[in-house]
Amino acid sequence: LAVFVLQAIPVTGIFLMFALAMFWSAFLVNAGMIGIAAEVAFGRVPRGWLLLPLAFYGGYFASAAHDHMVLHSLSAAYDAANARAAIPFDANRQSLVFTNDGDSGGWLTQNYALPMAFSANSNFPEGYLSDRIAEAAVCTKVRETPALRAGFVHAFGFHDGDTVGEQRMENRFCALSMPERPELPQVEVTRREEKVSLSRLPATRVTTTIRMPDGQRFQLLGGVAAPLSWIPLPIIGCGVNFSGARWDCAARVWRQDLTPLVSGNTRYRRDTMVLARALGLKPVTIEERKGGDPAVVLAKMATVEDETLTRQLANIDAMIDNPVAKGLDWQVDAVTTHPGALATRADAIMAGLERAAAFIGKDQYRARESGLILARLLAAMPHERFVGFGPRLLALYSRADDKHWLW
């Protein structure tokens, strides 16, 4: 109680927070209960005191046993329901598309015979990102080519292994991601999460819906639960709530968070494995892993690079014509990697910068953003081309007051 009171006072509590004082209660409460039992055993206090630790541990173990029984029952029910789902998916004739923001099929391409997967992403004109594994030579080309990175073509390393201690880096392949629209009929995967209490067991239930091109739907169940641990660990203390910028105190019992609701031999990715089995995907070992045809992948990357450059040049032309136009895309990194394309627009870019700097009106922020981009493009010109605009640039700055965005 004394430690908790000191934690509740922010001045002393901040130091106790760094000393992990909120976890001290797990030791102190258990030590207190064991101490009372020892006092009874040695005859120092009446036997009636034994009721306190018996009630504490008996009630706790009964609650923990209930949680784990509910978890076992749910796991069996979910496994049975998922086993009945047989989805007629053909990776050679259909595209697997994940529709939720942040979801990706990259892990499936690394560990199953799935050539590629797609994820919906509204940040790109294509509307999708593709995920596949690529050979080391392709990965190196992506990492050494600024134009590809500017076109949002990325090569990421990935690990094998379920736990941190077992993980090892795959050095023959990388995970390749790029803007790309599916060309085959789409099999859509949509996940829905909901916080629920299943017979007093806190859980996050995940319902995965697979929609076939003909409209047929299948559902898979999964998620995680938070049963009580077998050892009572009361956590009592305070800490900074950064989202609310306040000092919060709480008292709770430690739970085994993120315990999967479906059975399996791994700690993580069980829901994804359930999806792979339902789709009929064949697991591949690390040794069996294969990247896509490098020639095909390089051709797709070149297409993405060309389309990105064309799109960004069109946006720059629109920006030059009207710096406050709505719907402008201010991404121009691909253009800066192509000096030739930039040089042909040098005079127009200077004129657009002058137009943006002189703009006065309610859309001033749009003129500022467009002007900053045009100024950056002008500064990226070859030196001899850039200095040719010296008189016009000096005149432009001489007309700007001290608060103008040009400075």
Side-chain angles (χ1 to χ4, degrees), residues 137-317:
V138 176
C139 309
T140 300
K141 179 176 177 58
V142 172
R143 291 165 181 155
E144 294 179 350
T145 308
L148 288 173
R149 297 198 303 273
F152 298 96
V153 180
H154 297 294
F156 304 102
F158 62 91
H159 294 85
D160 294 312
D162 184 55
T163 60
V164 174
E166 296 176 352
Q167 288 187 348
R168 55 191 179 278
M169 179 68 75
E170 168 63 85
N171 53 22
R172 300 169 301 154
F173 304 98
C174 70
L176 185 66
S177 171
M178 72 177 85
E180 184 180 359
R181 185 177 289 106
E183 298 176 353
L184 301 174
Q186 297 184 20
V187 175
E188 297 178 347
V189 179
T190 305
R191 295 171 70 256
R192 180 171 61 89
E193 294 186 3
E194 53 183 334
K195 300 287 186 181
V196 294
S197 177
L198 305 170
S199 298
R200 304 197 307 275
L201 173 64
T204 301
R205 181 167 56 201
V206 176
T207 304
T208 302
T209 302
I210 299 89
R211 182 179 180 275
M212 304 301 291
D214 62 1
Q216 188 179 10
R217 294 174 183 267
F218 299 86
Q219 279 195 339
L220 303 172
L221 299 175
V224 292
L228 290 169
S229 62
W230 287 110
I231 299 175
L233 300 172
I235 309 300
I236 304 171
C238 306
V240 178
N241 183 332
F242 291 100
S243 61
R246 60 179 184 270
W247 189 252
D248 282 351
C249 298
R252 65 185 183 91
V253 180
W254 184 267
R255 289 181 172 272
Q256 296 173 333
D257 296 333
L258 304 179
T259 301
L261 278 169
V262 294
S263 61
N265 298 320
T266 62
R267 174 69 176 169
Y268 306 105
R269 301 280 187 183
R270 292 195 193 177
D271 288 357
T272 308
M273 293 177 184
V274 168
L275 173 63
R277 285 195 296 268
L279 291 170
L281 297 179
K282 177 186 175 184
V284 296
T285 64
I286 295 174
E287 294 73 23
E288 295 173 331
R289 190 174 280 155
K290 294 180 180 179
D293 184 347
V296 173
V297 176
L298 289 170
K300 287 182 177 292
M301 287 164 42
T303 299
V304 170
E305 182 180 356
D306 291 342
E307 290 178 349
T308 303
L309 177 62
T310 301
R311 186 166 59 247
Q312 291 190 5
L313 285 172
N315 270 286
I316 289 171
D317 291 339

Side-chain angles (χ1 to χ4, degrees), residues 309-318 320 335 338-353 374 377-378 381 385 389:
L309 177 62
T310 301
R311 186 166 59 247
Q312 291 190 5
L313 285 172
N315 270 286
I316 289 171
D317 291 339
I320 291 170
V335 178
H338 291 78
L342 198 58
T344 59
R345 286 169 169 77
D347 292 313
I349 289 172
M350 183 67 231
L353 177 58
L374 293 173
L377 293 174
L378 199 66
M381 299 284 177
R385 194 77 174 90
F389 294 108

Side-chain angles (χ1 to χ4, degrees), residues 9-33:
I9 304 170
V11 175
T12 53
I14 192 70
F15 295 100
L16 289 170
M17 182 187 74
F18 286 113
L20 303 179
M22 64 180 61
F23 296 100
W24 295 1
S25 54
F27 168 77
L28 292 173
V29 171
N30 281 287
M33 292 297 170

